[in-house]
Amino acid sequence: MKEIQGGVTAAKGFLAAGVEVGVKYQNRKDMALITSTVPCRVAGTFTSNVVKAAPVQWDMGLVEKSPFVQAVVVNTGIANACTGKQGLDCCRAEAECAGKLLGIPAEAVLVASTGVIGMQNPVDRILVGIEKLVAAKSDSPEAAEDAAKAIMTTDTVHKQIAVSVEISGKTVTLGGMCKGSGMIHPNMCTMLGFVTTDVNISKEMLQKALSADVVDSFNMISVDGDTSTNDTLLVLANGLAGNEEIVTEGEDYDIFCQALHYITTYLAKKMAGDGEGATALFECKVVGAANKEDARTLAKSVICSSLTKAAIFGHDANWGRILCALGYSGAKFDPEKVDLYFESKSGRLHIYGDGVGCDYSEEEATKILSDPEVTALVDMHMGDAEATAWGCDLSYDYVKINADYRS
Amino acid sequence: MKEIQGGVTAAKGFLAAGVEVGVKYQNRKDMALITSTVPCRVAGTFTSNVVKAAPVQWDMGLVEKSPFVQAVVVNTGIANACTGKQGLDCCRAEAECAGKLLGIPAEAVLVASTGVIGMQNPVDRILVGIEKLVAAKSDSPEAAEDAAKAIMTTDTVHKQIAVSVEISGKTVTLGGMCKGSGMIHPNMCTMLGFVTTDVNISKEMLQKALSADVVDSFNMISVDGDTSTNDTLLVLANGLAGNEEIVTEGEDYDIFCQALHYITTYLAKKMAGDGEGATALFECKVVGAANKEDARTLAKSVICSSLTKAAIFGHDANWGRILCALGYSGAKFDPEKVDLYFESKSGRLHIYGDGVGCDYSEEEATKILSDPEVTALVDMHMGDAEATAWGCDLSYDYVKINADYRS
């Protein structure tokens, strides 16, 4: 596997665009398009929230029923959630407009929105935006970057990546981009994410790969524990790599899954580290757990704890809060048997063992906790299962950003 | 039922004290004592955290096995959690010391601690503190207030209340105090709470009343979603009111339960409103739910949402976040049928209905959301069940307090 330059236009046959439309934000790109020169297989996962935004409802229908899709239209600023029939009408109008301009059926056009809940999208402006997007679409790396920037909301950096792998003698490329810095939580990433690939794979195997993947990638991150109404992760595969179609498990499928996991884990970590107001990526790695599910539960509980996150922000080795978060996770264990370490590029420190705090140097701990990427490593000494979860610290800026997001 | 002055010394035969010991905090009262002139029945509920502080382990043993207890010793500053055998030895030393000075068995002395996790209590200083407490104990209202102040950590106000009721022709009094402003979460209040009463009741019925009560009082509040290692709620009943012993359900039991609920709900709301850094008490009342459990789940999900809490801090009517929190609570419902209102002493405003936002005045909404007590009233239109949960807003000060709590 090779990491390569670019994002959603890296794979053969994919074009993208990002343009300024003024849906709600001014003076920045706020609409994006991804499209393929040929029809694509699609797989998707969506928010588990009972309250599903109109575009989520639209896309779930297409992912389930459409044999092929060929484009995705995204707007930021307004989420088109809690918008009733008018919101669904907007999705249809977007799909029809993009379909007409691209010469494909409306049922081949996915839509996604992110932003304020409860406001109606300005349909006319959005349709003008789609015209601009179609005119601007290109397979250049710049177009991918434009798209990655256009889907940002409170993100401080755009997030994209691409890799290539060999599958049965053919070069297969995957590219991805995502946005999401608030409302990122286990149980579907609470974000928008798009992966494009030229792999030749059946729809069934593509969905299988994606569903298995998110459990240990996007579902292992959290910023604030809120699960949004708009979470959407889509993978489009157009088959142009020319590999023999993957229709079953086996070596080809495994290589594809590894590449997909590289992309999704990279994007998931980027999202966690760019959580609203975050100053550090906070990772919890649990090893020696009784089983995989416990490992995930324990790791997630730690990175979701507001008290722990505030301590990380303060570079304070308040390890009791980590023990505490492990303790209320729901997994059973013996606190006397747990070992806890803090680690970062500055080193590793044994913090807790045999039921009590270790005799460590607070100075050294503070040094480790002051790095931009901090890991709490927890050994449960109960078995062989492990899992890693990613979050961020809780800062003043998180509160500032969210106290008056709408204005 | 009559609300009366005082706290834990209001009921007959109860004495209290609060003194400065310097366990960790300086220049403030940091140890408290409650004791009764005669042995008491005791009931308790404790943290559901797997990691239980030493005093919690000690008290759970006594509540289960001791037929009677007669005193409670509390220290703040250090939680005596994750302290291994040395921590348990400290509990025993405290109980033996207090027992000797009060002329009661060590097995009649409960202990409680709150503060930093992972530090050992300074046993010698604590034993000196117990001597001071025993010397200072009094049945005066001032002694109750001293005790209520001594158990505070990051609380900004002390919290106490007392009521009296008539049970079978006798006046029965209940008094209570609590602390807790961070780490307050559903699944046991994550706090220290003590209720004293002179009611004559069997141990079995006392525990039954308490266990039924917390489901709709302390378990319905949250500050930050973290469940502490030290949560303890104890009720001591010494029988001095002289009513016929309550040994079964019936009118006497019901009157006692109502009085207990008045006390616990009052204290729970005070705790939520005094959450770390809180500027407002945020209440969510769910009505018309399909069943009681759904009503509780929905109400708690709203008051636990970091995004909603940050919006309340910003006086921002970002109702989409409330819909969103209802949506990921786990309860099933139709978003199109929900009605949402904001209300406070300034009025009530219909915010959302028929699947879309109402045409309300933002100015009026901001006015309501600027009051010190704000309610989100949600009608699910599915049945008759209702529940209320209490939390607080999420402010800069929450982060400040928790970023460097240990120093």
Side-chain angles (χ1 to χ4, degrees), chain A residues 30-169:
Chain A
D30 62 347
M31 283 192 70
L33 170 74
I34 300 170
T35 186
S36 166
T37 53
V38 297
C40 307
R41 260 64 184 255
V42 63
T45 59
F46 302 93
T47 181
S48 56
N49 200 312
V50 171
V51 181
K52 290 183 204 315
V56 170
Q57 296 178 45
W58 174 266
D59 289 358
M60 287 177 84
L62 293 202
V63 167
E64 192 190 345
K65 286 175 208 156
S66 286
F68 294 98
V69 301
Q70 207 164 337
V72 189
V73 173
V74 190
N75 78 273
T76 58
I78 296 176
N80 193 7
C82 299
T83 46
K85 184 177 174 301
Q86 199 180 331
L88 284 168
D89 289 346
C90 174
C91 296
R92 174 161 292 279
E94 289 178 67
E96 282 173 352
C97 174
K100 198 171 148 193
L101 293 169
L102 293 166
I104 58 175
E107 284 68 32
V109 181
L110 299 148
V111 295
S113 299
T114 175
V116 177
I117 302 177
M119 266 176 115
Q120 298 289 349
N121 257 334
V123 183
D124 293 349
R125 211 174 311 158
I126 286 210
L127 299 190
V128 171
I130 292 173
E131 280 183 46
K132 282 194 191 183
L133 286 167
V134 172
K137 71 181 192 297
S138 154
D139 61 1
S140 68
E142 292 74 24
E145 191 174 317
D146 285 348
K149 286 179 175 166
I151 64 173
M152 292 163 61
T153 56
T154 49
D155 306 60
T156 63
V157 290
H158 68 286
K159 302 160 186 89
Q160 64 170 7
I161 185 170
V163 298
S164 69
V165 287
E166 290 285 309
I167 294 186
S168 60

Side-chain angles (χ1 to χ4, degrees), chain A residues 16 25 53 70 96 108-109 112 121 137 148 153 166 185 196 209 217 231 238 240 249 299 320 327 331 361 369 382 387:
Chain A
Y25 303 130
Q70 207 164 337
E96 282 173 352
V109 181
N121 257 334
K137 71 181 192 297
T153 56
E166 290 285 309
H185 188 58
T196 56
S217 59
D231 307 337
N238 67 12
L240 291 180
E249 293 191 18
S361 143
L369 295 175
M382 293 176 78

